[in-house]
């Protein structure tokens, strides 16, 4: 099985349920998951534009809609709240899902709102999406601004509660501020190598090594604009190059998948950060194609035990360590 450390599923669930659809995962995602042998992942609440103007109320809407989706589809979903739930999900043949938050703009300065979110079932969060907020600075914010005192407090509370801290989307100043504060492993759920594709969302060698030093994992991102700057090289082979590079720089125990497929999201939201359509690299357009990357790893000489680490074991280790 594959564990995908980043998917915007709850955003899609919310948008479709508000239009009157039901059983969104079962009717709109499960077939692709099954074809790609994706057995779970971190499904995030992402405050999609234009709803980011009121992140608190949008988060409440998404918590409501995802709650209904979860409770009405317990036959296929197992929410991972503690480490033993992983084995339960596998034995029950259900999707092993971590509820995550892609950005904490909704809580403002009120870091204690992490407690009700934890009670709801949230076990993962990044401090920002691309924006500046009361906690930290994303890649589209000022390069001189990092974590605030509230952001540092949030990291400490997340670690105390047993929530996975995610550095994807942070600018470099915020990344290194978080590195200085963190005492437990942290992850970059969906980021690639800046050395191979020099865009703000990708990570420098130093950042990759810092994540590995913490004991964390980097999830390789399938968004084509993070694979290569040249259009004719935005394909699955160049995506696999990012895996090779990470393994060489930080070792096999610190690399996983965070595909970030989003072809199902609404155009109004997607157009704020991507354009041109066909957002996955050639040969790896959506979750149903996930086995294609596994075949490439096999062809490049990866051992089966190492492929298993990348597929799910490395992220499962983090889940067991943190939850």
């Amino acid at each position: 099985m594959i564990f995908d450390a980043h998917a915007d599923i709850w955003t899609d669930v919310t948008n479709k349920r508000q239009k009157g659809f039901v059983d969104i995962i079962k009717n709109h995602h499960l077939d692709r998951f099954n074809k790609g042998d994706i057995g779970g992942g971190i499904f995030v609440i992402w405050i999609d534009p234009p709803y980011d103007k009121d992140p608190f109320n949008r988060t409440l809407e998404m918590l409501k809609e995802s709650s209904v989706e979860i409770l009405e589809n317990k036959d296929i979903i197992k929410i991972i709240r503690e480490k033993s739930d992983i084995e339960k999900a596998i034995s029950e043949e259900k999707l092993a899902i971590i509820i995550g938050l892609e950005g904490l703009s909704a809580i403002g300065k009120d870091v204690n709102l992490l407690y009700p979110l934890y009670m709801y079932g949230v076990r993962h969060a990044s401090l920002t999406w691309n924006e500046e907020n009361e906690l930290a600075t994303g890649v589209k914010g000022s390069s001189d601004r990092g974590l605030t005192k509230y952001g540092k407090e949030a990291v400490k509370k997340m670690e105390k509660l047993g929530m996975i801290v995610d550095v994807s989307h942070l600018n470099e100043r915020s990344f290194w501020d978080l590195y200085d504060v963190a005492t437990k492993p942290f992850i970059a759920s969906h980021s690639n190598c800046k050395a191979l594709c020099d865009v703000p969302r990708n990570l420098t060698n130093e950042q990759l090594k810092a994540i590995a030093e913490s004991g964390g994992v980097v999830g390789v991102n399938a968004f084509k604009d993070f694979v290569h700057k040249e259009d004719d090289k935005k394909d699955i082979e160049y995506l696999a190059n990012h895996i090779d590079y990470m393994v060489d720089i930080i070792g096999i125990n610190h690399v996983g998948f965070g595909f970030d497929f989003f072809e199902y999201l609404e155009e109004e939201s997607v157009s704020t950060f991507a354009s041109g359509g066909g957002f996955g690299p050639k040969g790896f357009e959506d979750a149903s194609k996930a086995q294609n990357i596994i075949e490439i790893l096999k062809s490049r000489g990866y051992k089966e035990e190492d492929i298993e680490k990348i597929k799910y074991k490395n992220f499962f280790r983090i889940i067991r360590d943190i939850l």
Side-chain angles (χ1 to χ4, degrees):
M1 66 165 284
I2 288 173
F3 185 84
D4 180 0
H6 186 83
D8 298 299
I9 301 296
W10 301 132
T11 300
D12 191 47
V13 164
T14 299
N15 291 338
K16 285 186 169 64
R17 293 193 73 95
Q18 288 181 333
K19 294 177 181 177
F21 296 99
V22 298
D23 301 338
I24 310 306
I25 294 175
K26 192 174 291 180
N27 293 329
H28 297 272
H29 295 278
L30 190 59
D31 182 59
R32 287 198 301 275
F33 292 161
N34 288 339
K35 287 179 179 177
D37 194 27
I38 293 176
I42 300 176
F43 290 4
V44 296
I45 291 172
W46 171 53
I47 310 303
D48 49 327
Y51 305 105
D52 52 342
K53 296 178 178 64
D54 187 3
F56 181 83
N57 284 316
R58 179 60 171 174
T59 297
L60 288 181
E61 289 181 359
M62 297 183 75
L63 291 173
K64 179 185 73 173
E65 300 296 352
S66 61
S67 295
V68 179
E69 179 78 9
I70 291 165
L71 291 172
E72 290 184 351
N73 289 274
K74 290 191 290 185
D75 57 322
I76 64 166
I77 292 172
K78 178 66 178 178
I79 300 300
I80 309 303
R81 292 181 171 85
E82 54 189 40
K83 57 186 178 181
S84 62
D85 288 331
I86 295 175
E87 281 64 39
K88 293 176 184 177
I90 293 171
S91 66
E92 295 171 10
E93 298 184 347
K94 296 179 180 179
L95 292 170
I97 297 173
I98 295 276
I99 299 175
L101 288 167
E102 188 173 22
L104 286 169
S105 57
I107 73 172
K109 297 177 181 179
D110 191 354
V111 177
N112 282 335
L113 285 174
L114 286 167
Y115 289 103
L117 289 169
Y118 180 87
M119 290 292 289
Y120 171 83
V122 173
R123 295 295 183 271
H124 156 280
S126 55
L127 298 180
T128 69
W129 183 52
N130 290 331
E131 83 288 346
E132 292 183 7
N133 61 30
E134 298 287 359
L135 305 178
T137 309
V139 294
K140 290 189 175 180
S142 169
S143 60
D144 297 325
R145 185 179 187 272
L147 262 64
T148 67
K149 65 177 183 179
Y150 304 106
K152 293 174 183 177
E153 184 182 349
V155 172
K156 292 175 182 177
K157 285 190 183 295
M158 288 172 65
E159 289 190 335
K160 182 179 179 180
L161 284 167
M163 294 173 64
I164 299 167
V165 177
D166 189 348
V167 299
S168 284
H169 283 285
L170 290 179
N171 71 356
E172 283 203 51
R173 175 73 180 273
S174 292
F175 176 98
W176 291 112
D177 285 349
L178 189 148
Y179 170 81
D180 289 337
V181 172
T183 61
K184 294 184 178 182
F186 56 88
I187 70 169
S189 61
H190 57 304
S191 296
N192 288 346
C193 309
K194 188 165 286 191
L196 301 186
C197 183
D198 189 3
V199 296
R201 272 282 287 106
N202 286 344
L203 300 169
T204 65
N205 289 357
E206 291 73 20
Q207 288 175 304
L208 292 170
K209 291 174 182 177
I211 294 167
E213 179 190 322
S214 82
V217 178
V218 181
V220 175
N221 191 324
F223 178 39
K224 67 179 183 180
D225 288 353
F226 299 163
V227 173
H228 206 284
K229 284 191 167 185
E230 299 176 27
D231 286 342
D232 62 341
K233 295 178 180 177
K234 295 178 180 181
D235 62 29
I236 192 171
E237 292 286 349
Y238 276 89
L239 177 64
N241 290 348
H242 284 267
I243 298 174
D244 290 346
Y245 191 87
M246 286 187 197
V247 169
D248 184 55
I249 292 292
I250 59 178
I252 196 72
N253 293 325
H254 303 285
V255 182
F257 292 136
F259 294 136
D260 196 17
F261 292 120
F262 54 85
E263 77 285 348
Y264 47 81
L265 294 180
E266 295 181 344
E267 174 63 24
E268 186 177 14
S269 297
V270 171
S271 64
T272 63
F273 63 90
S275 61
F279 305 115
K282 185 178 179 181
F284 201 51
E285 290 80 8
D286 59 50
S288 70
K289 307 290 183 66
Q291 290 305 303
N292 291 355
I293 196 74
I294 305 303
E295 292 305 313
I296 288 178
L297 294 182
K298 290 178 181 178
S299 72
R300 293 188 179 193
Y302 282 78
K303 298 176 183 177
E304 185 61 34
E305 62 188 271
D306 289 338
I307 292 175
E308 292 290 301
K309 289 181 179 181
I310 296 172
K311 285 168 63 176
Y312 69 94
K313 287 184 176 179
N314 288 337
F315 271 117
F316 277 8
R317 182 188 73 246
I318 292 295
I319 294 168
R320 293 187 178 102
D321 285 348
I322 300 299
L323 269 58

